[in-house]
Amino acid sequence: MQSLRDAGFVVRDFEQDDLSSWRQQWGIPSTIRGCHPARFMGYFVEGHVSPAQLRQLAAEKPAALGIKTENSPLASAESQTENPTHAAHTVLIDAQGLEQPWMTAEPEEHSHP
């Protein structure tokens, strides 16, 4: 989250044991699972995202419910750190919960939403 703050984003974070009510409120399909849900400009965001990805989402305003990152098959335990060293593919999630490829972020760009 610090990289998002450093890039000028206002980040409000909170810890909760049960995220199901937030996921439902934010319209996150039940098939999307993760531990980093967030909300940005009306979209849900799941996973490690970069400031560049959020800026692109804001600029494009795609017809989607949200985005999620998918770690590459070579991802390791490092994916749980603030600065993972693997690439992640980001997909758009449409109103039916279907995924569409969107963009790939460079490893050093990732951060928690």
Side-chain angles (χ1 to χ4, degrees):
M1 283 188 274
Q2 189 58 46
S3 67
L4 294 175
R5 288 183 176 107
D6 291 346
F9 288 91
V10 175
V11 178
R12 291 184 281 170
D13 54 342
F14 54 92
E15 299 275 334
Q16 290 201 290
D17 292 330
D18 182 14
L19 298 172
S20 60
S21 63
W22 288 106
R23 291 178 177 287
Q24 185 177 26
Q25 180 181 344
W26 292 343
I28 301 174
S30 60
T31 56
I32 307 296
R33 289 285 177 225
C35 58
H36 300 102
R39 193 84 172 140
F40 177 71
M41 295 187 58
Y43 296 98
F44 75 78
V45 177
E46 180 63 68
H48 298 256
V49 298
S50 70
Q53 288 173 305
L54 293 180
R55 287 188 188 102
Q56 183 173 341
L57 184 64
E60 290 181 6
K61 297 181 181 89
L65 295 175
I67 61 173
K68 77 169 188 169
T69 56
E70 297 179 328
N71 296 331
S72 68
L74 301 176
S76 68
E78 294 178 52
S79 67
Q80 301 304 313
T81 66
E82 186 72 17
N83 295 307
T85 57
H86 62 281
H89 301 282
T90 302
V91 295
L92 291 172
I93 309 299
D94 68 17
Q96 289 75 39
L98 300 176
E99 300 177 7
Q100 301 174 37
W102 186 51
M103 70 181 296
T104 300
E106 295 302 315
E108 65 273 7
E109 292 181 352
H110 292 110
S111 180
H112 296 274

mmCIF file of all heavy atoms in Angstrom, residues 27-32 44 63-66 68 70 91-100:
data_model
loop_
_atom_site.group_PDB
_atom_site.id
_atom_site.type_symbol
_atom_site.label_atom_id
_atom_site.label_comp_id
_atom_site.label_asym_id
_atom_site.label_seq_id
_atom_site.Cartn_x
_atom_site.Cartn_y
_atom_site.Cartn_z
ATOM 1 N N GLY A 27 -19.978 -6.008 -5.025
ATOM 2 C CA GLY A 27 -20.342 -6.724 -6.242
ATOM 3 C C GLY A 27 -19.284 -7.682 -6.735
ATOM 4 O O GLY A 27 -19.231 -7.996 -7.922
ATOM 5 N N ILE A 28 -18.456 -8.174 -5.846
ATOM 6 C CA ILE A 28 -17.418 -9.122 -6.245
ATOM 7 C C ILE A 28 -18.065 -10.497 -6.400
ATOM 8 O O ILE A 28 -18.659 -11.010 -5.459
ATOM 9 C CB ILE A 28 -16.278 -9.181 -5.201
ATOM 10 C CG1 ILE A 28 -15.647 -7.797 -5.037
ATOM 11 C CG2 ILE A 28 -15.240 -10.227 -5.605
ATOM 12 C CD1 ILE A 28 -14.603 -7.720 -3.934
ATOM 13 N N PRO A 29 -17.997 -11.084 -7.602
ATOM 14 C CA PRO A 29 -18.599 -12.409 -7.799
ATOM 15 C C PRO A 29 -18.041 -13.423 -6.812
ATOM 16 O O PRO A 29 -16.868 -13.363 -6.433
ATOM 17 C CB PRO A 29 -18.206 -12.764 -9.238
ATOM 18 C CG PRO A 29 -17.938 -11.455 -9.894
ATOM 19 C CD PRO A 29 -17.372 -10.575 -8.823
ATOM 20 N N SER A 30 -18.869 -14.365 -6.399
ATOM 21 C CA SER A 30 -18.452 -15.362 -5.412
ATOM 22 C C SER A 30 -17.317 -16.249 -5.924
ATOM 23 O O SER A 30 -16.630 -16.881 -5.129
ATOM 24 C CB SER A 30 -19.637 -16.223 -4.986
ATOM 25 O OG SER A 30 -20.172 -16.895 -6.103
ATOM 26 N N THR A 31 -17.101 -16.285 -7.236
ATOM 27 C CA THR A 31 -16.021 -17.091 -7.799
ATOM 28 C C THR A 31 -14.659 -16.420 -7.641
ATOM 29 O O THR A 31 -13.634 -17.061 -7.838
ATOM 30 C CB THR A 31 -16.264 -17.347 -9.291
ATOM 31 O OG1 THR A 31 -16.416 -16.091 -9.959
ATOM 32 C CG2 THR A 31 -17.503 -18.202 -9.500
ATOM 33 N N ILE A 32 -14.638 -15.137 -7.299
ATOM 34 C CA ILE A 32 -13.392 -14.391 -7.126
ATOM 35 C C ILE A 32 -13.005 -14.463 -5.658
ATOM 36 O O ILE A 32 -13.716 -13.976 -4.789
ATOM 37 C CB ILE A 32 -13.550 -12.911 -7.536
ATOM 38 C CG1 ILE A 32 -14.116 -12.775 -8.936
ATOM 39 C CG2 ILE A 32 -12.240 -12.163 -7.359
ATOM 40 C CD1 ILE A 32 -13.240 -13.310 -10.025
ATOM 41 N N PHE A 44 -14.260 -2.998 -8.136
ATOM 42 C CA PHE A 44 -13.554 -3.753 -7.106
ATOM 43 C C PHE A 44 -12.170 -4.062 -7.643
ATOM 44 O O PHE A 44 -11.942 -4.150 -8.853
ATOM 45 C CB PHE A 44 -14.318 -5.017 -6.681
ATOM 46 C CG PHE A 44 -14.276 -6.160 -7.658
ATOM 47 C CD1 PHE A 44 -13.171 -6.980 -7.768
ATOM 48 C CD2 PHE A 44 -15.378 -6.419 -8.462
ATOM 49 C CE1 PHE A 44 -13.144 -8.043 -8.662
ATOM 50 C CE2 PHE A 44 -15.364 -7.479 -9.360
ATOM 51 C CZ PHE A 44 -14.241 -8.281 -9.459
ATOM 52 N N ALA A 63 -16.051 -1.180 -19.234
ATOM 53 C CA ALA A 63 -17.336 -1.737 -18.795
ATOM 54 C C ALA A 63 -17.035 -3.035 -18.070
ATOM 55 O O ALA A 63 -16.968 -4.099 -18.674
ATOM 56 C CB ALA A 63 -18.247 -1.974 -19.990
ATOM 57 N N ALA A 64 -16.806 -2.934 -16.778
ATOM 58 C CA ALA A 64 -16.446 -4.097 -15.975
ATOM 59 C C ALA A 64 -16.856 -3.840 -14.536
ATOM 60 O O ALA A 64 -17.076 -2.695 -14.137
ATOM 61 C CB ALA A 64 -14.937 -4.342 -16.049
ATOM 62 N N LEU A 65 -16.961 -4.925 -13.774
ATOM 63 C CA LEU A 65 -17.215 -4.800 -12.337
ATOM 64 C C LEU A 65 -15.939 -4.483 -11.582
ATOM 65 O O LEU A 65 -15.960 -3.800 -10.570
ATOM 66 C CB LEU A 65 -17.799 -6.100 -11.776
ATOM 67 C CG LEU A 65 -19.168 -6.518 -12.274
ATOM 68 C CD1 LEU A 65 -19.535 -7.885 -11.704
ATOM 69 C CD2 LEU A 65 -20.203 -5.481 -11.888
ATOM 70 N N GLY A 66 -14.835 -5.027 -12.088
ATOM 71 C CA GLY A 66 -13.577 -4.814 -11.398
ATOM 72 C C GLY A 66 -12.432 -5.501 -12.081
ATOM 73 O O GLY A 66 -12.548 -5.992 -13.208
ATOM 74 N N LYS A 68 -8.767 -8.048 -11.241
ATOM 75 C CA LYS A 68 -8.023 -8.880 -10.301
ATOM 76 C C LYS A 68 -6.714 -9.267 -10.952
ATOM 77 O O LYS A 68 -6.613 -9.357 -12.172
ATOM 78 C CB LYS A 68 -8.804 -10.115 -9.873
ATOM 79 C CG LYS A 68 -8.839 -11.222 -10.886
ATOM 80 C CD LYS A 68 -9.404 -12.507 -10.287
ATOM 81 C CE LYS A 68 -9.233 -13.629 -11.278
ATOM 82 N NZ LYS A 68 -9.502 -14.934 -10.726
ATOM 83 N N GLU A 70 -3.652 -12.030 -11.363
ATOM 84 C CA GLU A 70 -3.381 -13.463 -11.307
ATOM 85 C C GLU A 70 -1.881 -13.628 -11.381
ATOM 86 O O GLU A 70 -1.250 -13.175 -12.344
ATOM 87 C CB GLU A 70 -4.040 -14.182 -12.475
ATOM 88 C CG GLU A 70 -5.545 -14.078 -12.458
ATOM 89 C CD GLU A 70 -6.178 -14.768 -13.644
ATOM 90 O OE1 GLU A 70 -5.565 -14.805 -14.736
ATOM 91 O OE2 GLU A 70 -7.280 -15.285 -13.472
ATOM 92 N N VAL A 91 -6.812 -9.108 -15.036
ATOM 93 C CA VAL A 91 -7.980 -9.372 -15.864
ATOM 94 C C VAL A 91 -9.131 -8.483 -15.421
ATOM 95 O O VAL A 91 -9.237 -8.094 -14.256
ATOM 96 C CB VAL A 91 -8.416 -10.856 -15.799
ATOM 97 C CG1 VAL A 91 -7.347 -11.761 -16.402
ATOM 98 C CG2 VAL A 91 -8.739 -11.288 -14.393
ATOM 99 N N LEU A 92 -9.974 -8.146 -16.400
ATOM 100 C CA LEU A 92 -11.223 -7.439 -16.116
ATOM 101 C C LEU A 92 -12.281 -8.484 -15.815
ATOM 102 O O LEU A 92 -12.313 -9.546 -16.438
ATOM 103 C CB LEU A 92 -11.682 -6.630 -17.331
ATOM 104 C CG LEU A 92 -10.852 -5.431 -17.730
ATOM 105 C CD1 LEU A 92 -11.348 -4.888 -19.070
ATOM 106 C CD2 LEU A 92 -10.919 -4.354 -16.665
ATOM 107 N N ILE A 93 -13.159 -8.177 -14.875
ATOM 108 C CA ILE A 93 -14.275 -9.056 -14.558
ATOM 109 C C ILE A 93 -15.549 -8.352 -15.003
ATOM 110 O O ILE A 93 -15.842 -7.246 -14.538
ATOM 111 C CB ILE A 93 -14.360 -9.356 -13.041
ATOM 112 C CG1 ILE A 93 -13.009 -9.824 -12.488
ATOM 113 C CG2 ILE A 93 -15.477 -10.350 -12.762
ATOM 114 C CD1 ILE A 93 -12.479 -11.090 -13.091
ATOM 115 N N ASP A 94 -16.297 -8.982 -15.926
ATOM 116 C CA ASP A 94 -17.522 -8.339 -16.430
ATOM 117 C C ASP A 94 -18.715 -8.642 -15.532
ATOM 118 O O ASP A 94 -18.599 -9.342 -14.522
ATOM 119 C CB ASP A 94 -17.787 -8.715 -17.887
ATOM 120 C CG ASP A 94 -18.168 -10.171 -18.098
ATOM 121 O OD1 ASP A 94 -18.548 -10.866 -17.136
ATOM 122 O OD2 ASP A 94 -18.103 -10.619 -19.257
ATOM 123 N N ALA A 95 -19.858 -8.123 -15.899
ATOM 124 C CA ALA A 95 -21.070 -8.250 -15.078
ATOM 125 C C ALA A 95 -21.505 -9.704 -14.880
ATOM 126 O O ALA A 95 -22.199 -10.014 -13.915
ATOM 127 C CB ALA A 95 -22.212 -7.444 -15.695
ATOM 128 N N GLN A 96 -21.105 -10.601 -15.778
ATOM 129 C CA GLN A 96 -21.443 -12.022 -15.628
ATOM 130 C C GLN A 96 -20.366 -12.780 -14.850
ATOM 131 O O GLN A 96 -20.460 -13.991 -14.684
ATOM 132 C CB GLN A 96 -21.629 -12.679 -17.005
ATOM 133 C CG GLN A 96 -22.889 -12.249 -17.731
ATOM 134 C CD GLN A 96 -22.762 -10.842 -18.311
ATOM 135 O OE1 GLN A 96 -21.722 -10.450 -18.822
ATOM 136 N NE2 GLN A 96 -23.832 -10.068 -18.206
ATOM 137 N N GLY A 97 -19.332 -12.078 -14.395
ATOM 138 C CA GLY A 97 -18.245 -12.724 -13.666
ATOM 139 C C GLY A 97 -17.199 -13.337 -14.564
ATOM 140 O O GLY A 97 -16.322 -14.055 -14.089
ATOM 141 N N LEU A 98 -17.278 -13.061 -15.870
ATOM 142 C CA LEU A 98 -16.310 -13.613 -16.818
ATOM 143 C C LEU A 98 -15.056 -12.748 -16.859
ATOM 144 O O LEU A 98 -15.116 -11.532 -16.724
ATOM 145 C CB LEU A 98 -16.932 -13.702 -18.215
ATOM 146 C CG LEU A 98 -18.176 -14.588 -18.316
ATOM 147 C CD1 LEU A 98 -18.764 -14.513 -19.707
ATOM 148 C CD2 LEU A 98 -17.846 -16.020 -17.930
ATOM 149 N N GLU A 99 -13.927 -13.399 -17.082
ATOM 150 C CA GLU A 99 -12.643 -12.714 -17.103
ATOM 151 C C GLU A 99 -12.199 -12.420 -18.524
ATOM 152 O O GLU A 99 -12.371 -13.238 -19.410
ATOM 153 C CB GLU A 99 -11.589 -13.570 -16.413
ATOM 154 C CG GLU A 99 -11.923 -13.877 -14.977
ATOM 155 C CD GLU A 99 -10.904 -14.779 -14.317
ATOM 156 O OE1 GLU A 99 -9.847 -15.078 -14.928
ATOM 157 O OE2 GLU A 99 -11.143 -15.192 -13.171
ATOM 158 N N GLN A 100 -11.614 -11.234 -18.699
ATOM 159 C CA GLN A 100 -11.024 -10.842 -19.977
ATOM 160 C C GLN A 100 -9.617 -10.342 -19.693
ATOM 161 O O GLN A 100 -9.422 -9.557 -18.760
ATOM 162 C CB GLN A 100 -11.807 -9.698 -20.611
ATOM 163 C CG GLN A 100 -13.246 -9.974 -20.890
ATOM 164 C CD GLN A 100 -13.928 -8.705 -21.386
ATOM 165 O OE1 GLN A 100 -13.353 -7.910 -22.111
ATOM 166 N NE2 GLN A 100 -15.155 -8.516 -20.974
#
